[in-house]
């Protein structure tokens, strides 16, 4: 009772009172704000397990991170920086490139105006060692083709299924139709790995997740990772918070809090 904790739950956290099993809570380290604690578990567990457990990231390798300015993207960049001499390619709209360079992305790529496959090949003709794929559809095929021998593709989402403000059924069907598919025999000839990751389906893996969180807390305490907060919104502005992400304006994590931060309340009173 009275412990400050981070919580990992599949859904139901957009409310003032939440009930979760104790096994899904983790003690917050000294000096961590509640906003940082909200930003850490899902994004950093995902990025850590993708890069290290599946990706086996090692010094002198190269990584392509899509949606590099988002929650998982910013976590992955920071985690890449904990390994010596990792070259990071990151896709994001041009307005976010300066921020990405500051955070350690060697080669930001504007996916809206450039062919990111061509851009990667210009710099690294053989491709990259690891691709993080939250996109799905034809982008997964591009990712597989961009891998070097012994490279690893980790797919963890299908953002391409969501197009614009409303789900476009034609676009969704096209994405589904273009979804990457390969059989085990074909993999033999390529010397590449394809992995699928979904944190939501590891509800029962308490020891596994707990071990990852312990490593992340250790990295946080050493100052090697720090959740990047884009903006904080009270519950009654949830639509604006969602719009911030939908319009791809955020760099880092968009956080919801039950009430407006006290500083803002004081300003309003004045």
């Amino acid at each position: 009772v009275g412990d400050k904790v981070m919580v990992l739950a599949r859904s139901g956290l957009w409310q003032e009172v939440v009930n979760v099993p104790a096994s899904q809570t983790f003690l917050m380290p000294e000096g961590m704000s509640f906003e940082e604690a909200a930003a850490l578990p899902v994004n950093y567990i995902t990025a850590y397990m993708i890069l290290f457990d599946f990706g086996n990231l090692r010094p002198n390798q190269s990584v392509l991170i899509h949606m590099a300015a988002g929650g998982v993207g910013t976590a992955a960049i920071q985690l890449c920086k904990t390994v010596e001499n990792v070259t990071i390619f990151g896709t994001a709209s041009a307005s976010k490139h300066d921020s990405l360079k500051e955070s350690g992305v060697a080669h930001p790529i504007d996916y809206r105006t450039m062919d990111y496959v061509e851009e990667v090949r210009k710099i690294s003709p053989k491709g990259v060692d690891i691709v993080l794929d939250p996109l799905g559809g034809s982008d997964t095929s591009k990712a597989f083709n961009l891998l070097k021998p012994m490279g690893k593709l980790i797919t963890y989402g299908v953002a391409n299924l969501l197009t614009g403000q409303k789900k476009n059924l034609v676009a969704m069907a096209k994405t589904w139709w273009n979804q990457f598919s390969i059989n085990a025999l074909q993999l033999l000839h390529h010397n590449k790995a394809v992995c699928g990751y979904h944190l939501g389906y590891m509800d029962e893996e308490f020891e596994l997740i707990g071990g990852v969180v312990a490593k992340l807390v250790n990295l946080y305490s050493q100052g090697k990772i720090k959740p990047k907060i884009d903006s904080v919104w009270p519950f009654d502005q949830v639509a604006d918070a969602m719009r911030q992400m939908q319009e791809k304006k955020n760099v880092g994590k968009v956080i919801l809090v039950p009430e407006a931060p006290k500083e803002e309340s004081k300003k309003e009173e004045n």
Side-chain angles (χ1 to χ4, degrees):
V1 174
D3 284 342
K4 294 180 177 182
V5 293
M6 299 180 274
V7 174
L8 190 62
R10 208 167 179 184
S11 61
L13 294 182
W14 292 10
Q15 49 197 25
E16 291 172 8
V17 180
V18 178
N19 186 15
V20 296
S23 56
Q24 288 174 224
T25 63
F26 309 95
L27 284 171
M28 286 166 54
E30 280 292 313
M32 178 179 274
S33 69
F34 283 115
E35 288 79 11
E36 285 180 329
L40 189 125
V42 171
N43 293 148
Y44 281 81
I45 292 171
T46 297
Y48 188 96
M49 296 186 83
I50 285 174
L51 283 170
F52 297 113
D53 294 321
F54 270 149
N56 192 23
L57 178 64
R58 298 193 300 281
N60 306 314
Q61 290 192 322
S62 53
V63 181
L64 171 60
I65 301 173
H66 285 295
M67 297 165 67
V72 174
T74 52
I77 292 164
Q78 289 180 13
L79 288 167
C80 283
K81 298 302 287 179
T82 67
V83 179
E84 195 180 347
N85 198 32
V86 170
T87 304
I88 306 171
F89 296 84
T91 66
S93 50
S95 62
K96 301 176 183 177
H97 285 194
D98 287 344
S99 172
L100 289 182
K101 280 181 180 171
E102 283 169 27
S103 65
V105 176
H107 308 290
I109 302 167
D110 183 359
Y111 64 95
R112 293 176 177 177
T113 60
M114 294 173 166
D115 181 333
Y116 65 83
V117 174
E118 277 182 26
E119 295 304 308
V120 171
R121 293 266 186 217
K122 279 179 195 172
I123 296 152
S124 179
K126 278 191 169 182
V128 294
D129 296 291
I130 300 170
V131 180
L132 310 190
D133 170 37
L135 303 174
S138 58
D139 285 292
T140 309
S141 303
K142 290 178 183 177
F144 186 78
N145 292 328
L146 261 178
L147 291 177
K148 292 178 179 178
M150 298 303 291
K152 298 164 192 77
L153 158 64
I154 303 99
T155 183
Y156 67 99
V158 278
N160 284 336
L161 284 178
L162 299 172
T163 55
Q165 291 194 358
K166 294 183 180 176
K167 290 180 184 177
N168 180 321
L169 289 176
V170 175
M172 286 176 75
K174 187 179 175 186
T175 300
W176 189 258
W177 180 257
N178 288 331
Q179 191 58 42
F180 175 73
S181 180
I182 192 165
N183 66 42
L185 272 178
Q186 289 171 308
L187 276 176
L188 280 177
H189 308 298
H190 287 285
N191 291 304
K192 296 176 181 181
V194 180
C195 311
Y197 180 86
H198 194 309
L199 178 57
Y201 289 97
M202 283 199 271
D203 294 357
E204 304 301 313
E205 302 298 326
F206 306 126
E207 282 183 33
L208 181 61
I209 299 299
V212 174
V213 173
K215 289 171 187 167
L216 291 170
V217 166
N218 190 30
L219 288 170
Y220 177 87
S221 299
Q222 292 175 43
K224 291 184 176 178
I225 62 171
K226 186 174 176 65
K228 191 174 181 69
I229 310 296
D230 173 78
S231 49
V232 179
W233 308 76
F235 281 0
D236 58 8
Q237 290 179 26
V238 63
D240 295 325
M242 290 298 292
R243 202 169 291 118
Q244 177 79 354
M245 289 194 299
Q246 193 176 47
E247 294 174 1
K248 299 182 178 178
K249 290 178 180 173
N250 61 303
V251 176
K253 193 74 175 156
V254 175
I255 297 289
L256 289 178
V257 293
E259 295 173 356
K262 285 174 184 173
E263 291 82 2
E264 288 183 17
S265 306
K266 285 173 188 170
K267 283 178 195 168
E268 285 169 14
E269 284 170 20
N270 294 340

